[in-house]
Amino acid sequence: MFNKVLIANRGEIAVRILRACRELGLKTVAVYSEADRQAMHVRYATEAYLLGPAPSNESYLKGDKIIEIALQSGAGAIHPGYGFLAERADFAQAVEDAGLEFIGPKPSAIAAMGDKAIARETMMKAGVSVVPGTEGTGNLSDEELLKLAPEIGFPLLIKATAGGGGKGMREVKSLDEMPVALQSARREAKAAFGDDNVYLEKLILGARHIEVQIVADKHGNVVHLNERECSLQRRHQKLLEESPSPIMDEELRAKMGEVAVQAAKAVHYESAGTIECLVDSDKNFYFLEMNTRLQVEHPITELVTGVDIVKEQIRIARGRKLSFTQADVKINGAAIECRVNAEDPYNNFMPSTGKISHMVLPTGPGIRVDTGVYAGFEITPYYDSMISKLIVWGETRAQAILRMRRALEEYKIVGVRTNIPFHQAMMDSHRFMGGQFDTRFVEEEFSLEEIAEGKETFPEVAAIIAALVTHDQTERAAHVVRRGDRDTSNWKWLSRWERLSK
Amino acid sequence: MFNKVLIANRGEIAVRILRACRELGLKTVAVYSEADRQAMHVRYATEAYLLGPAPSNESYLKGDKIIEIALQSGAGAIHPGYGFLAERADFAQAVEDAGLEFIGPKPSAIAAMGDKAIARETMMKAGVSVVPGTEGTGNLSDEELLKLAPEIGFPLLIKATAGGGGKGMREVKSLDEMPVALQSARREAKAAFGDDNVYLEKLILGARHIEVQIVADKHGNVVHLNERECSLQRRHQKLLEESPSPIMDEELRAKMGEVAVQAAKAVHYESAGTIECLVDSDKNFYFLEMNTRLQVEHPITELVTGVDIVKEQIRIARGRKLSFTQADVKINGAAIECRVNAEDPYNNFMPSTGKISHMVLPTGPGIRVDTGVYAGFEITPYYDSMISKLIVWGETRAQAILRMRRALEEYKIVGVRTNIPFHQAMMDSHRFMGGQFDTRFVEEEFSLEEIAEGKETFPEVAAIIAALVTHDQTERAAHVVRRGDRDTSNWKWLSRWERLSK
Amino acid sequence: MKYATTIDGKEYIVEIIDERHVSVDGKVIEVDFESIEEQPVFSLIVDGKSYESYVYRTEEDLEVLVKGRLYHAQVEDERERRLRAASGGAVAQSGPFQLKAPMPGLVVAVPVSEGQEVKEGDVLLILESMKMQNELKSPRDGVVGRIHVGAGDSVEQRQKMLSVE
Amino acid sequence: MKYATTIDGKEYIVEIIDERHVSVDGKVIEVDFESIEEQPVFSLIVDGKSYESYVYRTEEDLEVLVKGRLYHAQVEDERERRLRAASGGAVAQSGPFQLKAPMPGLVVAVPVSEGQEVKEGDVLLILESMKMQNELKSPRDGVVGRIHVGAGDSVEQRQKMLSVE
């Protein structure tokens, strides 16, 4: 049985997994790119090895090199996190072939669920509804897809066969739009996954995106850990998740949970996984895909069930049986996660890079922050813009929302722009508070400006601050010129200010 | 019913209470001394008013001024936190007289429990055992105490009548030592509480310090929230607490809980309070004192019971009935709190002042940090050295210890020395892991050096780092001289280094 | 010193009287203003009310974030103001718009060509960064001038990519 | 450059060869050493092992904290070493001990008087700070010299309070 784990990832999820290993008394091996020498996961691990230059395909995607490092360092297992190599059956197979434990499902399960078409077929055979589309028909040409589209009906979605995270996805309202959309979807899919195959899927309007977490051991025991509500998305990227879902009732939860367990059993699933579904306004649900890995939003499930999903993954990989049964799984209170991205919500969510010069984390009761950054760390353009996750727990959903409000107000990140103001507006949105939203809410009906309307404003305060800041800077600049640069503190202040203001 | 609360405190507890108010939708009023203009509680509150100069008796102890500010700002209630005015019956009375709600017990209950002698008498009448001593005999002279001492027997403790937190407390092994000890205890009591009365108490050897948390509403309902183990103390200051206690069994818990509820009822207690007891090696327990206020270590109870004690206090003050009964109170897992003090554990725990130049907080699953400081904040010598509390939760006590280890390793505070290395050593102590310790363990049997013995050391690594740091500094200094101070980054580095190294 | 401060279109005349007093449109206000530790974070207490604010300087203005809302501020002191008034009031607002890279990245596509007419909101360039494709749009109507980059090029932050005239 | 580095009494000769290599007592080691953002926090990777360290400079030595353990380090470069050897080896270790205030505070008591003999560990002064009374002890045997402060005095950090000769 292994007692040293290599974490084949970076950022908050690498740190999350390192922590779980620590708490289980396991040694850890980090791998890193040249851009990440000062990253938290490198500083934090027992051992750390350089993979290569910053771009992912020269570092975090180098499966062979990672396996080599694992073998040389004596790590007995590899945890892939999410993204990068997490859903690559060939990597999982190579890990197994090297005599190492892959902390995740078997390669066959990844392969079965990784190709969306095969996945949908598998699910239909298991008696689960899927969204109408071109599933199971192999890799179709543009011509074939254009012919099939009217049969499915509009609006519809073009989705990457190898895809995930909204990449290579396009929405199409009519046949006219299709040729252009197909071209750009294929281009994006090619860039993201090295595979430009796409398929079509009916777009269900008013749908909620709800997923069920499952955990399965090597002994055939599968338990579901209830649902997560993930409808709040922008460009098919989740922004905010909660558990339980405000639309869920016990009957639907039991039904979806049962289906999720069946799906996992159908592919002899092991470790943690997620069944993603769309739920329409009549509470019919359709299978979308299975994520054969740890999910970004796993912490909300941890907070309401008390199960540490990452530790459970490690225990399962070590051959242990699940320590709980379906009957033991309860829902305690409510949890919300806000993904904190280095993006400017006032400028069309444009990614923001730079050095985090100052950071104050929200702390206190019911707050969890999963992060891989710290004050002094440089956000580079090479990786995902998600820099941390703010997760809160409350006795009730209302308490969780109030707590999230205060946590967001406490969270200070200076040096890069973040989407914290977006989340603040969301917490003030009546539609969100009422639980009335679908997957299109953020893009089509939500506006930062509208939420701000009717709220108390402080233009005079802003005017005073703007004038005082300008005045201070002018004075300090004059002061520095007069006194020369002996006056350290002012000089430093100004220099730092100038750097920050660039 | 009030909807604005004045918090008559500073530091982490002011922030803790502000957060609870926020999460209940209440407005907040902070008060502050001149030393605290940049403190978190000032920046964080809806309103903030200056009290006066840094010393407590010119600021945070100015009850009249605080009440005046509450009235002027329209606050309907005052939360005193702990320390300062929290256990002053006259202040609670003045708050009531001003038509404001005091978030705490009635003045009569504070008075009854505030004088240790009266408190012990009350408890004995309620049938609770107390530690043998000079309780209930009024304010005795040195002569009288010297006469009574042999009857109680040695070793014994001299304790301040008005005291708490170990101030004015002295341990005496024989009659010879008593005159000097009496003098210094009285001097310290006078300085701390303005009252130099002391009493004697038998010292119970091998004792554990265990306290029971109770909450009581205005309608006569009293519920206990189980115990906290607080035996790890230095100079009678608690350093580390946990809940549940490793020595507790269901029978003793029920018995102590029942006694605590009886004690609260005996003084018509309202709000949150704590009954402190000594438990000897035969599991006999003796009443020590009742703390008629929120306790520093309340978070560990919150983590294992799910009850938010501060919110409960506010709800009770608003006249609400307790939302739970004794039967609802369960113990879920285990929690540990480490008090992080600005003290140097390698130099006899000498307090350390200065500016926190850099801070990395531990985050992730099961971690809670209650803090009032941030990177850039100055630790002054005017107040308590406790700068934050690190609290962890685990499924089991063992899991909590492992988690605390990783949290302590993550916690970086630069600019002032802290006692984090002490806590790290404690987490590695076999005695602590085994739950085998008493109130004298830290002072008499625990040593940082001993714990370190037998563990892997890294003198070569330290030598390399020391040489590299010296080399870099020399090089950089030379570089600066060569290039002039145009080279901002090096110059800054050096200047900051020099400041930090002073 | 007097400052004409425009917040989201409305002008306030803010006079700095001394360390503790300012006037806004003639009304004197007591202020307690602190800069938090070398950071663009400021704490302002006015009349007991505590406000915490971030201030970002962009090329065009100061952005002031107060209680979760962003205010755009232009500040001019008296001298600047007089100069501007003397020069006829209007600051030169025209001239070509330079599209600079808002962050380092990879140019995915340039869907316009030199000399092409574009409208406000038209996509000028697609830049990939942080695993996202970002559409950079024209802030006004005009004609595309020189294009300095092409699909596949890596660009540094602030690098000029093309102009709209 | 060679440095004689003494860690808790044991000497190591550390030579800085280049940016990526040092030798310790002649053994060449590949190192990856990074200073974390203007702070006395350093990350060292040797042979794949990742060590994070804080370094504090005190008046006497460098304190190096590695994996929860504090090492006291004295570092001398070759030149310093030669100078010291030439001057007879022993650095002046005697001279009066100056008791300076380790932090600002209030002198509660000075239980010794000028000319009094004291032993190592005897309490010289009680200083109150952060609501605690701190006993400051003599680091060696000697005779109390000048006492500059008395009970009730406020002292600044590093202020000289008394000496032991």
Side-chain angles (χ1 to χ4, degrees), chain B residues 311-330:
Chain B
K311 283 187 191 166
E312 213 55 53
Q313 283 190 302
I314 295 168
R315 289 189 191 113
I316 289 166
R318 298 180 110 196
R320 298 245 309 256
K321 285 190 181 176
L322 288 182
S323 56
F324 51 87
T325 66
Q326 194 63 59
D328 298 326
V329 178
K330 302 268 179 284

Side-chain angles (χ1 to χ4, degrees), chain B residues 152-166:
Chain B
I152 297 163
F154 293 93
L156 57 73
L157 286 173
I158 302 171
K159 295 172 91 174
T161 307

Side-chain angles (χ1 to χ4, degrees), chain A residues 2-5 17-28 46 311 314-315 318, chain B residues 398-399 401-403 405-406:
Chain A
F2 59 86
N3 51 28
K4 192 189 274 190
V5 178
I17 298 162
L18 282 161
R19 285 169 169 158
C21 291
R22 282 267 170 114
E23 292 177 11
L24 291 170
L26 302 172
K27 293 204 167 148
T28 53
T46 326
K311 283 188 191 164
I314 296 169
R315 288 190 191 112
R318 297 181 109 196
Chain B
Q399 277 292 307
I401 292 173
L402 286 162
R403 182 164 279 167
R405 271 193 202 163
R406 76 106 176 139

Side-chain angles (χ1 to χ4, degrees), chain A residues 459-460 463-464 467, chain C residues 1-7 10-17 22-29 74-78 81:
Chain A
E460 259 193 48
I464 294 171
Chain C
M1 182 73 102
K2 270 188 190 164
Y3 295 90
T5 305
T6 308
I7 299 288
K10 187 170 175 336
E11 189 180 85
Y12 298 85
I13 301 297
V14 181
E15 184 178 7
I16 315 293
I17 300 170
V22 303
S23 75
V24 178
D25 296 341
K27 195 181 69 188
V28 176
I29 294 171
Q74 276 97 32
V75 185
E76 276 184 317
D77 67 26
E78 284 167 310
R81 199 160 203 218

